Amino acid sequence: MTQHTIIRLGHQGDGIAEGPVFAPRTLPGEVVSGTLNDSQLTDVRIDVPSDDRVAAPCRHYKSCGGCQLQHASDALVADFKADVVKAALSAHRLETDVRPTLTSPAQSRRRATFSVKRTKKGATAGFHGRASGVIVEVTDCLLVDRALLPALEVAKALALVGSSRKAEMSVSATLSGEGLDISVQGGKPLDGPLRIQLAQATETHGLCRLAWDGEVIAARGQAFQTFGAARVVPPPGTFLQATVHGEHSLQALVMEICAGARSVADLFAGCGTFSFPLLAHAEVHAVEGDAEMTAALAAGWRAAGGLRPLTSEARDLFRRPLLPDELKRFDVVVIDPPRAGAAAQVAQIIESTVKTVAYVSCNPVTFARDTAQLVSAGFALEWVQPVDQFRWSSHVELVGKLTRL
């Protein structure tokens, strides 16, 4: 056994001591001991606890890998996530006002992806253990909305009819406007008998929609999501913000940046998370690489009726970013790229006449990289707002406001 003092938290939420030595579920200032294997401390014992250490509220915390920071106070976690953003900015010598973190409440996740596998006695469904392929059942998970928990039993039932004993299925469950929206990956190939069983399962469990490897098998209603004044039916398993609280926080921040704009480009628009709220005040051109998501966005706009003009196009913004001549008619560009960021599109924004950018990011590192390019070209980073809709994890999202000087 060796003893160490934890200096800080790493980006994955582990405590880090000099060496470096990584100790899971420890906090800055704590004195800990354990068995040192290379740089990893195992069998960790807390010798001197931090004042910010709390009792983990979930009984599954020790075995489940879904959360990394339930042993820390809410204030420490919020500060940690703001510090992750500050560190990413500092790496590019960027300074700005980093606002206090906005955190979604417990039991607010409206979507989750469960792992499920058949067993000798039936099936097991839940999340993987920490750094493990073992599935931990989480019957009373404190992350997800209570209305999402029945999806665990649905996942088990689907595994019994559609999974082999050796394979693990992935079951994505989303709360829609008319019930559970289920999308399954990794099951058996579809055939006639399986289709019949899946259709029966949809009725038995009262599912709104069931998709199998991207194909809709049965639907008892419209699996819609509400964005602004529109109802949109996303493709099965498509990306949505994790919590309604987080979504509304991000929307409010984007609306703050776009105040007074008459024409907005919404890039990496998804199914319209930002496009539809923006239509309350501006015309919007929405660009998304996924053709199905673009079609869902356009259909939602047509069905809503009476909204301001919206145009949309399916376009790969990594390979074909909007060019300066296309960008010149927009007052503000909203950009919400995946984790890889948007280097190609940022290069075109720099060459354009766009004066304001609302940058939504799920990766502070690529956000800082792209922002550094904008700042070096004459933009100012006015503020950054961290948003935490992945409570008790190390993940953090943000919105940044950039204006051309």
Side-chain angles (χ1 to χ4, degrees):
M1 300 284 286
T2 58
Q3 194 172 68
H4 307 268
T5 299
I6 303 302
I7 302 169
R8 61 186 175 87
L9 292 181
H11 282 191
Q12 299 302 313
D14 283 353
I16 300 178
E18 286 189 8
V21 172
F22 299 89
R25 294 173 180 166
T26 59
L27 299 174
E30 291 188 328
V31 179
V32 303
S33 55
T35 303
L36 189 60
N37 296 309
D38 295 325
S39 61
Q40 299 292 323
L41 199 67
T42 60
D43 303 320
V44 177
R45 183 179 67 194
I46 309 299
D47 298 327
V48 180
S50 164
D51 290 341
D52 282 300
R53 177 168 288 275
V54 299
C58 179
R59 65 186 180 90
H60 303 294
Y61 183 54
K62 289 185 178 180
S63 57
C64 178
C67 296
Q68 296 88 48
L69 292 165
Q70 282 197 7
H71 60 286
S73 69
D74 287 349
L76 186 146
V77 175
D79 288 344
F80 160 68
K81 298 200 175 188
D83 287 343
V84 168
V85 174
K86 292 174 185 177
L89 296 174
S90 178
H92 291 272
R93 299 181 180 179
L94 296 171
E95 294 184 0
T96 192
D97 174 28
V98 177
R99 297 173 171 181
T101 305
L102 298 175
T103 303
S104 293
Q107 296 181 333
S108 64
R109 286 284 299 271
R110 66 173 173 191
R111 63 175 177 86
T113 299
F114 300 111
S115 297
V116 58
K117 195 171 185 178
R118 286 179 57 191
T119 65
K120 291 181 180 179
K121 297 182 179 180
T124 185
F127 299 121
H128 285 132
R130 181 183 173 89
S132 168
V134 176
I135 297 173
V136 178
E137 293 204 351
V138 285
T139 53
D140 52 356
C141 175
L142 298 184
L143 284 177
V144 303
D145 190 299
R146 306 302 292 177
L148 201 62
L149 286 177
L152 286 164
E153 293 304 316
V154 172
K156 293 178 186 179
L158 294 174
L160 292 177
V161 300
S163 175
S164 66
R165 278 288 301 275
K166 295 183 179 180
E168 182 177 299
M169 290 197 327
S170 177
V171 178
S172 295
T174 303
L175 292 178
S176 77
E178 295 188 359
L180 282 176
D181 184 13
I182 303 292
S183 179
V184 179
Q185 298 288 331
K188 293 178 181 177
L190 285 167
D191 57 19
L194 179 56
R195 288 177 184 274
I196 293 172
Q197 289 177 302
L198 294 176
Q200 290 173 339
T202 302
E203 289 295 327
T204 299
H205 295 280
L207 305 180
C208 178
R209 180 172 66 175
L210 174 61
W212 198 264
D213 288 329
E215 180 182 339
V216 176
I217 303 302
R220 300 174 63 254
Q222 282 198 322
F224 69 84
Q225 301 292 331
T226 301
F227 304 128
R231 288 183 172 184
V232 179
V233 181
T238 198
F239 171 81
L240 293 170
Q241 298 296 336
T243 71
V244 173
H245 171 275
E247 180 176 276
H248 288 173
S249 297
L250 295 172
Q251 288 170 337
L253 292 161
V254 168
M255 293 292 285
E256 177 184 342
I257 296 170
C258 295
R262 292 178 296 177
S263 181
V264 178
D266 183 11
L267 309 185
F268 302 95
C271 289
T273 300
F274 302 115
S275 291
F276 288 108
L278 287 167
L279 286 174
H281 305 287
E283 297 182 2
V284 176
H285 180 59
V287 185
E288 166 57 45
D290 187 300
E292 287 188 298
M293 294 176 77
T294 306
L297 184 154
W301 177 75
R302 290 192 299 270
L307 300 179
R308 281 179 169 78
L310 178 141
T311 55
S312 59
E313 62 175 309
R315 179 166 171 172
D316 185 341
L317 291 169
F318 294 106
R319 292 184 173 87
R320 289 199 312 121
L322 265 65
L323 300 176
D325 190 56
E326 298 173 282
L327 291 167
K328 66 182 181 182
R329 66 187 177 93
F330 302 113
D331 301 318
V332 182
V333 169
V334 177
I335 186 167
D336 182 16
R339 292 190 63 79
Q345 185 60 72
V346 164
Q348 298 304 317
I349 292 172
I350 288 171
E351 297 300 321
S352 75
T353 58
V354 171
K355 289 184 170 52
T356 305
V357 176
Y359 196 136
V360 184
S361 175
C362 60
N363 185 347
V365 173
T366 54
F367 168 80
R369 178 203 67 197
D370 291 348
T371 296
Q373 295 301 310
L374 289 163
V375 169
S376 66
F379 280 82
L381 179 60
E382 293 195 14
W383 51 260
V384 173
Q385 172 68 72
V387 176
D388 179 14
Q389 50 181 332
F390 293 88
R391 191 183 182 94
W392 298 316
S393 80
S394 57
H395 184 73
V396 61
E397 295 170 302
L398 61 88
V399 177
K401 179 181 180 181
L402 292 120
T403 53
R404 196 185 293 269
L405 297 173

